[in-house]
Amino acid sequence: MFPERIFIIGYMCSGKSSISRKLASRLGYNSFDTDDLFEEKYHVSVNDFFEKYGEDYFRKFEAEILRKTGDLRKVVISTGGGNPCYYDNMKWMKDNGMTVFIKVSPTTAYNRLVTAKRKRPLVNGKTSEELMRYIETHYGSRLPYYEQAELTVKGENFNIEKLLEILDA
Ligand code: S3P
C-alpha cells in the first residue's frame, strides 16, 4: 500500500518537481508543487512576492499553502526548498504523509543553480563565487531538517524504479 500523500523535499534544483511528476504518474496520483499553488493562489510569482513583501511573509503563506494539501488524497507534493525548515512544516508533513528527501551534493546543487538562479530570489544576482559559498553554508543549515525525512534518495542519476521498489517494500 502506497501512502496517500507523499511529500518530496530537498534543496533548490535537486529535481523535486520532475521526480514528483514521474512518481505521481507511475502511482496514478496527482502531483502538486507548493510554489505553483502559491502562485495560483496569490497571482504573483514567488520572485515578485519576495521582492515586494520579503521572505518572512512568504514563509508564513507557504506554511498555510502546505497545510491546505492536507485536504488532498493520492497526491505527490513537491515542496519549495525552504519549506521543511519553517513553522514546524517538517513535523506537519511527517504527521500527514510520507516524506522523501531528494539528496544532491552541494556541487550538483551549484552546477544546476548557476544556470537556474534567476527564478530563485535567494540566489538571484549572486556571482558564481558568492553562490558557491552561499550553498556551502545554507545547504548545511538545512540538512538537519531534510534529514528528518522518512526516506532519502539520491537526486543524481535518479531512478524511479528504485524509488517505487523502496516505497512498495
Ligand atoms: C526556496 C526555494 C524555491 C522557492 C523559493 C524559496 C528556498 O523553490 O520556494 O524561491 O528557500 O529554498 P525550489 O526549491 O523549487 O527552487
Side-chain angles (χ1 to χ4, degrees), residues 10-13 16 35 46 50 58-59 62 79-82 119-122 138 142:
Y11 203 63
M12 292 177 270
C13 281
K16 291 165 293 182
D35 283 340
V46 170
F50 257 71
F58 174 74
R59 297 304 175 196
E62 177 188 53
T79 60
K119 273 169 57 189
R120 293 176 166 88
L122 292 180
H138 191 234
R142 286 182 169 184

Side-chain angles (χ1 to χ4, degrees), residues 10-65:
Y11 203 63
M12 292 177 270
C13 281
S14 53
K16 291 165 293 182
S17 305
S18 97
I19 290 172
S20 297
R21 282 194 297 269
K22 272 187 204 154
L23 180 60
S25 120
R26 290 293 298 270
L27 296 178
Y29 281 20
N30 287 314
S31 75
F32 292 94
D33 179 305
T34 54
D35 283 340
D36 291 345
L37 293 173
F38 179 95
E39 294 187 347
E40 277 162 29
K41 175 158 186 196
Y42 295 107
H43 305 285
V44 60
S45 71
V46 170
N47 239 351
D48 287 349
F49 188 92
F50 257 71
E51 207 170 287
K52 279 193 192 135
Y53 306 105
E55 182 175 357
D56 289 354
Y57 272 115
F58 174 74
R59 297 304 175 196
K60 187 173 179 303
F61 293 146
E62 177 188 53
E64 286 173 16
I65 296 272

Side-chain angles (χ1 to χ4, degrees), residues 97-135:
M98 173 176 244
T99 42
V100 181
F101 170 29
I102 309 299
K103 187 171 191 172
V104 295
S105 70
T107 310
T108 299
Y110 169 80
N111 288 334
R112 294 181 185 175
L113 262 175
V114 85
T115 54
K117 59 187 181 185
R118 269 195 45 228
K119 273 169 57 189
R120 293 176 166 88
L122 292 180
V123 291
N124 185 17
K126 291 199 188 309
T127 64
S128 305
E129 213 171 283
E130 285 167 345
L131 179 64
M132 179 74 94
R133 265 188 274 121
Y134 181 81
I135 291 172

